[in-house]
Amino acid sequence: MHIVAGVVAMGVAAALGIVMGLNNTAVFTSSCVVFVAVSLWVQSRVAKFRTPLQGLPQRLPDGVAPERAAERPAERTTEQLPSGEGNAA
């Protein structure tokens, strides 16, 4: 979907560049920039829409039985996380 939006925006940018009297290199360059910008923007909007909401039950990874899910350790709190000290080689 984001690629289709980018291609459409690229066509619109190319048409505007030709109408404005830009040379072929400028039309192509501006069209490519518009393609990348629009496709990344649409992709980020789609990703935000598809991101699961926090607090709702999440789907278990494939291969994990529901009875085994309760055996997994809970997430560590900030007090339990390492402080970042040590050898960072």
Side-chain angles (χ1 to χ4, degrees):
M1 180 163 148
H2 63 279
I3 293 176
V4 173
V7 169
V8 169
M10 188 177 196
V12 171
L16 287 174
I18 291 170
V19 168
M20 290 172 42
L22 299 177
N23 63 20
N24 290 338
T25 304
V27 169
F28 178 74
T29 304
S30 63
S31 297
C32 289
V33 168
V34 168
F35 170 79
V36 171
V38 170
S39 62
L40 287 176
W41 180 78
V42 170
Q43 184 180 11
S44 71
R45 299 297 294 176
V46 169
K48 285 181 184 178
F49 178 72
R50 290 186 180 172
T51 302
L53 298 175
Q54 293 207 358
L56 294 179
Q58 302 297 320
R59 183 172 172 253
L60 294 174
D62 292 335
V64 176
E67 60 274 0
R68 299 239 359 176
E71 297 173 10
R72 288 189 295 174
E75 292 183 21
R76 296 190 287 181
T77 62
T78 55
E79 294 83 24
Q80 296 171 331
L81 294 176
S83 64
E85 299 173 5
N87 186 5

